[in-house]
Amino acid sequence: KEEIEAPIIIIGSGYGGAVAALRLCEAGKKVIMLEMGMNWGKSGIPYSSMLKPDKSAAWLKNKTIAPFFNIFGLKPFTGVLDRLDFEHINIWIGRGVGGGSLVNGGMAVTPKKNYFEEVFPRLDSEKFYNTYFPRATTELKVNIIREDFLNDCPYYKFTRVGEAEAHKAGFKTIRVPNVYDFNYMEKEYKNEVPRSAFRTEVIYGNNHGKNSLDKTYLQKALDTGNLKIFDLHSVNDIALNDDKSYTLHVNQIDTSGKTIVEKVFHCKKLILAAGTMGTLQLLLKSNAENNLPLHENVGKNWGNNGNFMTGRNWVKPLSGGTGAQQSTIPVGGVDNWDDPKYPFFAEIAPLPMGMDVATALYLQINKVDKKGSVSYKNGKLLLDWNESHTQKMKEHADYFIKKMNKANGGTRAHLLFKNGFGANICYHPLGGCVLGEATNEFGKLKNHDHLFVLDGSLIPGTIGVNPFVTIVAITEYCIENLINQNEFS
Ligand code: FAD
């Protein structure tokens, strides 16, 4: 077996991993990053669109795994979108150099300050809103669509209809910032550059326009000369050595998922940034198989960020459909968060089918009044999560859809979901390794001296908006403090 020594290893190249890599590299540290997915930028293989799924569409599956309308006939390939299936919930995640930033809708939302304070009562919110959130949105290149363009562009009819209908039903709407470059989008509309958002590209990757992490944090980290990324390297488990260093058992795979080389990595300092589910899998598995010490809070305080998909069919009578052409980049949302009885946020989501299906799709974000937990048994990750955890969310969705239909016409989205509700659809798994509970105040795992967790698992199951801006801000805060405390010297 090939053995490799490194001072600092980061597992995972999503938001937490990319931020940690940049700040460590800037501080002059040599960093190795292990990522199980592919480096798409380097591979030269294009991402596929939603209407023509190909290599990038799914992680080693023979069928597409988007939430709706799946097709067979894929040749298993290390694609960018993966789905973990549990009894009551399906969790979608991104795989590849850039993690979730490769597949997500790019919605870059800073949480409401009072909710952030409720979720993280011990953090200095002034410092976050003055320093870490602005730092995150600057580095991520967050920008906002021009209202004139939005009002004129046929690809945003679904947003205009969604907002007009929401207003008619008495709801408030907000403009949602994004990391997709809206100047690029205006050019693609005029056919001056290749199309991406207007070519149904998003959850299988964007060939253009989107400022995913490979173009921002990771590129900057690589530019320092201190970062080395090993893609198609899947970490199996972690072992703690007597001298408090770590050994990782790693499979280098090919694009069909077959192991081509088994490797062993040794490091003094380890950062787990494998995403909420990846980090929990590695910690709990390594505890079961290698006796990796774990604090009892690991696996606790997990949530789906209140994700609840819902929709409406036959959005026609008053508004004339949602449009045959749809941008894949959402820019609008219904903000009902301040309603004491039904607090929720609902993204007005595109459904780019290449024809007008007169259907409105919404990804609701609710509070999580009942948290779940994650454990590991018989070689498998187990999720304690069932219908009781999403009951309240369902009541909110029911209220929203009824009110929208009453004001505007339309029916519950029976064509999209069983009974019109997608309680099982989760894009935002959060928690399980919560800041200050399973870790110290800056992400160092309890019971360990040199193991750090920096990703979505630090957030206790809910943040009230799409989570990546918060994941970036929390990581900026943690890594700055960890470096200042000489944790990586
Ligand atoms: P991730 O970004 O998930 O990165 C973890 C990385 O670790 C992955 O690349 C993974 O392959 C790698 N990894 C895992 N296990 C191993 C292992 N054992 N060995 C090696 N590598 C490993 N959020 C928003 O804020 N706005 C949005 O618009 C939005 N839209 C979304 C749409 C979709 C379809 C999905 C799936 C998610 C969306 N999200 C959105 C959520 C957002 O992408 C995630 O919250 C975010 O990516 C989580 O960041 P992270 O740093 O925790 O980990």
Side-chain angles (χ1 to χ4, degrees), residues 11-17 34-37 81 92-101 103-109 178 203 213 233-236 273-276 278-279 282 347 426-430 454-457 466-469 471:
I11 304 176
S13 62
Y15 292 93
L34 303 175
E35 167 57 55
M36 68 196 279
L81 188 65
W92 277 263
I93 39 191
R95 300 223 177 280
V97 173
S101 78
V103 302
N104 68 34
M107 295 173 80
V109 193
N178 204 289
I203 54 174
L213 290 167
H233 278 62
S234 177
V235 181
N236 258 326
T276 297
T279 287
L282 279 170
E347 162 189 341
C426 174
Y427 285 173
H428 305 161
L430 296 174
L454 295 173
D455 60 19
S457 66
N466 315 61
F468 72 62
V469 170
I471 297 172

Side-chain angles (χ1 to χ4, degrees), residues 270-342:
L270 179 60
I271 296 177
L272 261 171
T276 297
M277 304 316 291
T279 287
L280 289 169
Q281 158 90 16
L282 279 170
L283 287 176
L284 295 164
K285 180 182 181 195
S286 303
N287 171 257
E289 295 181 359
N290 303 338
N291 284 319
L292 185 81
L294 284 191
H295 187 270
E296 60 182 19
N297 284 344
V298 173
K300 305 261 169 66
N301 220 347
W302 185 92
N304 69 346
N305 199 26
N307 282 188
F308 198 99
M309 271 240 194
T310 185
R312 296 165 46 233
N313 295 133
W314 317 124
V315 180
K316 222 156 195 166
L318 300 174
S319 36
T322 43
Q325 301 167 317
Q326 299 197 4
S327 169
T328 54
I329 299 300
V331 294
V334 175
D335 182 359
N336 205 49
W337 198 259
D338 294 330
D339 179 343
K341 198 152 177 224
Y342 300 103

Side-chain angles (χ1 to χ4, degrees), residues 90-223:
N90 306 103
I91 300 176
W92 277 263
I93 39 191
R95 300 223 177 280
V97 173
S101 78
L102 301 175
V103 302
N104 68 34
M107 295 173 80
V109 193
T110 300
K112 288 185 191 263
K113 194 163 173 228
N114 56 1
Y115 196 58
F116 179 80
E117 288 166 348
E118 198 179 314
V119 173
F120 287 111
R122 283 198 289 262
L123 293 181
D124 176 353
S125 64
E126 292 308 320
K127 187 106 202 256
F128 265 81
Y129 283 78
N130 291 331
T131 305
Y132 300 112
F133 281 121
R135 188 177 294 170
T137 53
T138 303
E139 293 285 2
L140 292 165
K141 304 201 168 146
V142 176
N143 67 155
I144 296 179
I145 195 168
R146 259 192 334 112
E147 288 299 310
D148 282 356
F149 177 62
L150 169 58
N151 287 332
D152 291 344
C153 180
Y155 288 79
Y156 277 109
K157 184 179 180 199
F158 77 96
T159 304
R160 296 194 297 271
V161 166
E163 291 179 353
E165 290 194 338
H167 297 157
K168 189 141 187 275
F171 291 110
K172 222 171 56 190
T173 60
I174 49 159
R175 186 65 52 243
V176 180
N178 204 289
V179 298
Y180 197 94
D181 179 347
F182 288 111
N183 284 327
Y184 188 92
M185 188 186 275
E186 294 201 19
K187 287 194 191 129
E188 70 181 274
Y189 180 54
K190 291 189 229 147
N191 279 319
E192 293 170 4
V193 291
R195 289 187 162 191
S196 187
F198 292 173
R199 205 187 144 254
T200 75
E201 291 179 1
V202 68
I203 54 174
Y204 307 148
N206 282 90
N207 289 301
H208 312 279
K210 200 207 279 179
N211 280 309
S212 43
L213 290 167
D214 49 323
K215 304 207 177 72
T216 57
Y217 275 98
L218 288 171
Q219 188 55 53
K220 266 179 123 174
L222 286 167
D223 290 345

